[in-house]
């Protein structure tokens, strides 16, 4: 039909209806059947017109059509005739024709609404909605409520589209009034629209409409108090579902609720619920001008009133749920209050630090490290384990109440099951933030139980995903596999059209990839990971997808960290193609994503960073509150992994920067376990930089958090009963304070005396010693954790908590490493030997605890393999191996421990950090022990061990070539040798190749001795091998018979060359170290040339640890030696740099060196003087030859530069 046909039909229908109307007037009053027949004809005619008009206007646009006005008037008359015809119908037929009227009215109105003709649509619905308000249409059970809702909804939406928000709110009130007796049952739909219209009013700046509540809107409808309270609670719930800032609207509704539900009214339960909701609003919004109470005052008053509510079987579930909700928010409000005060303290400290900025010296080598330090860092430690226990009591009480509520299967009779699910998710996220994984898992199991009872498959799958993640964090892959399989089966039953389905599906694939990696199915796991990484949905610009992307990058880090034996180069190339080539880059990007989410949610104050954009205020709507605590927990966990990874890569400065940032965040959150963990990591970083005192100080700070008995003054005094009377009004805007422009104010309690935030604890033994010992003479007693002295089944807070037990063991291992670095070898080794077996004991104990919590004490189920402490055990064995390498003679008891460590490493999973390095350390230590054992059979000669395996006998030095031994170096660390190799590689390209032959003619090849540890072979095709002999106690080597001097005159087939090094002294030293004088000349082919003779002390046979460190550092800073002319590894200023050598200076050096040698010879014993003079003359002649060669080399270099 065309539009003109519709107009014609409309005119015909109007005429037909007029005729039928005239017939009705002629029917006598007692002619019921005749009236019914005429009305049936009327409804059929109007229904036919409605269907034709509705179908004709489905596709074409009617805007601007000349007949639009006539059609609108016809539709309005049609609705009026149908409503008029309802009068006088018998009750049995009334519902049927009312249903016809509803259907036709909606179609006629939707005809215009679909054409964006909202004014016409609202005019058609208006007549019908007014009639429903007086007709009590919702009382008809035959008519579905949804059909009646559609007309009201269309009218409200039409006014919204037209911007007529006040009329839209009036329509919602009309709708609620039409519900009458069913208002408590059907109010969700109209109140949801009310909340959305109010949100539109807030966007348009209509403050008067924004402050209006349903209590004011329904004033003329004389609702009873119970119904009004129900409506206001529904309005409050509707505001919380909107993804916008509705704090102002919620506050005004709560003002009405608390006014109605006063304590005198007897509605204690409703008032307590309202006060809990008020605490949630006041926690994130400021209404200081409207109310004198804080969020903590409100929630404490709610808890007090809930205790006064009489208990019964009917209200048991509601009371348990409401008490748990109030306790949860008591914890959140306390945490937010402490977080806000911590941020204010940091800003004040920054302002004071900017005014009192210390100037660093321009040549300060530790300048970059000092910039990272924060003088106010440790001032924030105003809490300890006892403080955390007191703070988390409300959280634990809430968990116990919900556990009691959900002990019986089924849906509990609570106020809002959806709200209970959201609160349980908050509870689990907060437990995860406080590093309590077992409690977090139990909370997620409660979420699973409630969602299963509600039939929410996606909610159940989401809870199971979180449990699986926590099991992976605890390194319990066997249980993680069981829960992952349950998650996948649950996801198959879920609605795939839901927005969160794809997110959960990708999360399951990611967890499956992680499981494959742990179980050594690397190729399968990598395929799954790449599938998630390449999914276009991962690029969505939403916070939850950012979070998943960060988790994907964390798993990419795990795969890239696998040893080459597990992840081949071909498979590794697949990850390279995605843009990730190293684990540290992937993990750093994940860290950036977590930071970005925090900045989007909470602004820059939480992280303490400066941003150019305007600061963001946290808005508590939707999933923001849950996401806030989740991302903070994930950020801390990612920071821990990143610091550990950078520490293993020796990027100490960056690792320290991330560690300090994480410490500050943990201090703001008063997360004692995270704070302790990062302090232990920082202590290890300081130990890597040989800062023993700073490392010990960080460990003492961590010890204070774990074992101090200091009682801190409460920041807020607990108040008694508080009179809470909030008043309606607009909240005051929060103006962010500029910490730089405002000077820091004095604390209020300054005149009362300082509040000591850090009080050193003193044990009873120290107190007893202090009475009898002099403080000046008494050595400072080093405090240590008493954890190892506790029994294996000790019920104390440290031993009965998995995270705290793991922290204690990490603290003790770090302490042991500090003792070894300080030279206290026996104490350090004893501590490591005590830590390693305790790790196995702790793992076994908590494996049983985990089984009981997850499976309800199922005795038949096997204990899981809890591998959380495996990396700690590996580190302990690696420390033993390094200590074995550093000792002059390996101890026998270390050999069994090394073998035990190797056996343990074989059983470890491939994704364990630093597994390959630790295994290499153990193998090297075992090899060294075997070499020393063989050497003992050859008269303590290491040369004898390898003599039989050498393929060729190297020539001996002629007797005319004396040898000079270098100053002894102990094997302090394994870093000195690779550094020397790196220097050689870096300087090799600087060889002047065109002038090689002159150098060859001027200098004969030095033939190595077979006893020389740096002996060079004579192969033509291979690089000469370097044999490094383990360093023993320095001594004068025995002279052996040498072949004649003629043997060294023949030039070898390899072309010799000279490396000219123009490198400046190393930048890591502020000034050059003084070179020690040579105490004597012994036979060696390593010739030592010193730049000055300012150091008058002779080197001793045994070096102290400090001296050894200086020596090794000096060796690392030197340029490499060439094969032809070798210089000392200890020479600094006078080493043979050809471009800087001058003839005059060479002569002066030669004369000075000869004079020095003669002076030393005169101080020797008379019995050896003749032999040593002979050796001295040979050494002087040899040096003259070398210096002549250097002069020639210098001339060659000058010629090459001129060319």
């Amino acid at each position: 039909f065309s539009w003109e046909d519709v107009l014609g039909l409309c005119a015909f229908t109007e005429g037909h209806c007029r005729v039928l109307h005239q017939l009705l007037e002629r029917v006598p009053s007692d002619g019921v059947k005749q009236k019914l027949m005429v009305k049936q004809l009327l409804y059929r005619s109007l229904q036919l017109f409605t269907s034709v008009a509705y179908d004709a206007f489905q596709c074409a646009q009617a805007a601007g059509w000349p007949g639009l006005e006539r059609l609108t008037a016809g539709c309005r008359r049609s609705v009026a005739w149908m409503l008029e015809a309802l009068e006088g119908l018998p009750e049995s037929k009334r519902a049927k024709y009312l249903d016809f009227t509803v259907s036709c009215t909606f179609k006629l109105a939707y005809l215009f609404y679909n054409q964006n003709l909202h004014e016409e649509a609202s005019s058609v619905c208006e007549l019908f909605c007014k009639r429903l308000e007086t007709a009590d249409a919702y009382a008809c059970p035959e008519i579905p409520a949804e059909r009646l809702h559609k007309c009201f909804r269309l009218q409200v939406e039409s006014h919204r589209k037209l911007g007529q928000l006040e009329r839209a709110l009036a329509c919602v009130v009309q709708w609620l009034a039409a519900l009458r007796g069913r208002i408590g049952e059907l109010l969700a739909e109209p109140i949801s629209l009310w909340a959305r219209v109010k949100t539109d009013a807030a966007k348009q700046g209509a403050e008067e409409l924004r402050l209006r509540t349903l209590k004011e809107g329904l004033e003329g409808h004389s609702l009873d108090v119970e119904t009004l309270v129900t409506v206001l609670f529904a309005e409050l719930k509707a505001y919380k579902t909107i993804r916008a800032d509705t704090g102002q609207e919620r506050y005004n509704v709560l003002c009405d609720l608390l006014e109605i539900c006063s304590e005198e009214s007897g509605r204690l339960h409703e008032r307590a619920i309202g006060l809990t909701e008020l605490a949630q609003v006041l926690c994130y919004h400021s209404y200081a001008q409207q109310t004198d109470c804080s969020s903590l005052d409100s929630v404490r008053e709610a808890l007090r009133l809930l205790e006064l509510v009489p208990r019964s079987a009917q209200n048991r579930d509601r009371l348990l749920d409401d008490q748990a909700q109030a306790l949860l928010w008591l914890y959140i409000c306390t945490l937010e209050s402490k977080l806000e005060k911590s941020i204010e303290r940091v800003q004040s400290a920054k302002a004071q630090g900017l005014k009192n900025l210390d100037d660093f010296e321009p040549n300060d080598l530790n300048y970059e490290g000092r910039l990272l330090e924060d003088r106010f860092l440790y001032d924030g430690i105003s809490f300890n384990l006892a403080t955390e226990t007191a703070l988390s009591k409300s959280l634990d009480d809430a968990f116990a109440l919900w556990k009691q509520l959900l002990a019986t299967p089924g849906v509990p009779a609570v106020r809002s099951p959806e709200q209970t699910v959201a609160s349980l998710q908050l509870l689990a996220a907060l437990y995860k933030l406080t590093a309590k994984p077992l409690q977090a898992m139990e909370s997620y199991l409660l979420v699973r139980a409630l969602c299963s009872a509600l039939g929410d498959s996606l909610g159940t799958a989401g809870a199971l995903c979180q449990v699986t993640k926590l099991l992976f964090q605890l390194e319990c892959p066997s249980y993680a596999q069981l829960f992952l399989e349950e998650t996948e089966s649950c996801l198959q039953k879920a609605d795939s059209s839901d927005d969160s389905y794809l997110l959960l599906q990708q999360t399951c694939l990611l967890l499956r990839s992680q499981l494959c990696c742990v179980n050594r199915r690397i190729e399968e796991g990598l395929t799954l990971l790449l599938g998630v990484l390449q999914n276009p949905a991962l690029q969505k610009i939403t916070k939850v997808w950012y979070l998943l992307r960060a988790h994907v990058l964390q798993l990419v880090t795990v795969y890239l960290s696998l040893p080459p034996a597990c992840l081949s180069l071909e498979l590794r190339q697949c990850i390279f193609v995605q843009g990730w080539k190293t684990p540290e880059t992937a993990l750093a990007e994940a860290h950036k994503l977590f930071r970005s989410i925090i900045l989007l949610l909470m602004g820059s104050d939480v992280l303490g960073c400066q941003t150019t954009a305007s600061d963001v205020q946290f808005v508590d709507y939707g999933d923001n509150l849950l996401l806030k605590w989740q991302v903070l927990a994930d950020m801390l966990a990612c920071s821990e992994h990143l610091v550990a990874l950078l520490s293993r890569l020796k990027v100490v400065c960056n690792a320290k920067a991330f560690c300090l940032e994480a410490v500050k965040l943990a201090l703001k959150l008063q997360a004692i376990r995270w704070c302790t963990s990062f302090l232990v990591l920082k202590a290890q970083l300081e130990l890597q930089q040989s800062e023993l005192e700073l490392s010990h100080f960080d460990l003492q700070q961590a010890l204070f958090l774990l074992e101090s008995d200091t009682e801190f003054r409460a920041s807020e005094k607990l108040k008694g009963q508080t009179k809470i009377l909030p008043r309606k009004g607009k909240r005051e805007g929060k103006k962010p304070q500029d910490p730089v422009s405002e000077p820091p104010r004095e604390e209020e309690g300054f005149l009362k005396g300082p509040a000591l935030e850090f009080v050193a604890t003193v044990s009873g033994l120290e107190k007893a010693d202090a009475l009898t010992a002099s403080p000046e003479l008494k050595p400072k007693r080093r405090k240590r954790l008493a954890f190892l002295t506790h029994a294996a089944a000790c019920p104390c807070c440290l031993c009965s908590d998995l995270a705290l037990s793991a922290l204690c063991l990490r603290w003790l291992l770090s302490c042991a490493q500090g003792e070894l670095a300080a030279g206290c070898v026996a104490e350090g080794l004893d501590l490591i030997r005590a830590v390693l077996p305790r790790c196995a004991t702790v793992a076994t104990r908590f494996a049983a605890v985990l089984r009981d919590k997850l499976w309800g004490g199922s005795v038949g189920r096997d204990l899981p393999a809890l591998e959380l402490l495996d990396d700690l055990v590996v580190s302990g064995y690696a420390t033993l191996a390094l200590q074995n390498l550093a000792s002059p003679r390996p101890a026998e008891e270390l050999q069994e421990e090394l073998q035990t460590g190797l056996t343990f490493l074989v059983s470890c999973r491939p994704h364990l950090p630093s597994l390959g390095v630790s295994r290499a350390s153990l193998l090297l230590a075992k090899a060294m022990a075997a070499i020393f054992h063989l050497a003992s059979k050859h008269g303590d000669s290491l040369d004898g061990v390898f003599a039989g395996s050498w393929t060729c006998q190297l020539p001996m030095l002629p007797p005319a070539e004396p040898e000079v031994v270098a100053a002894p170096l102990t094997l302090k660390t394994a870093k000195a040798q690779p550094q020397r190799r790196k220097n050689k590689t870096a300087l090799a390209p600087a060889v002047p190749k065109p002038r090689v032959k002159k150098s060859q003619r001027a200098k004969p090849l030095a033939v190595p001795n077979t006893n020389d540890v740096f002996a060079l072979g004579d192969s033509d095709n291979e690089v000469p091998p370097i044999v490094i002999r383990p360093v023993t106690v320095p001594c004068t080597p025995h002279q052996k018979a040498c072949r004649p001097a003629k043997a060294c005159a023949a030039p070898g087939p390899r072309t010799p060359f000279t490396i000219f090094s123009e490198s400046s002294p190393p930048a890591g030293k502020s000034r050059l170290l003084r070179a020690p004088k040579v105490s004597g000349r012994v036979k060696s082919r390593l010739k030592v040339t010193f730049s000055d003779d300012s150091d008058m002390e002779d080197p001793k046979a045994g070096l102290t640890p400090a001296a050894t460190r200086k020596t090794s550092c000096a060796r690392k800073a030197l340029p490499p030696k060439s094969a032809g002319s070798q210089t000392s590894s200890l020479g600094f200023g006078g080493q043979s740099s050809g471009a800087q050598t001058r003839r005059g200076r060479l002569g002066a050096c030669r004369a000075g060196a000869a004079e020095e040698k003669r002076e030393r010879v005169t101080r020797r014993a008379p019995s050896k003087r003749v032999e040593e003079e002979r050796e001295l003359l040979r050494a002087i002649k040899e040096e003259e030859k070398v210096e002549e060669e250097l002069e020639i080399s210098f001339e060659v270099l000058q010629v090459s530069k001129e060319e």
Side-chain angles (χ1 to χ4, degrees), residues 19-29 35:
V19 172
L20 293 175
H21 208 319
Q22 292 173 1
L23 286 175
L24 282 174
E25 291 176 353
R26 295 179 181 181
V27 175
S29 57
K35 287 185 178 181

Side-chain angles (χ1 to χ4, degrees), residues 365 1065-1070:
L365 300 178
K1069 302 290 180 181
S1070 58

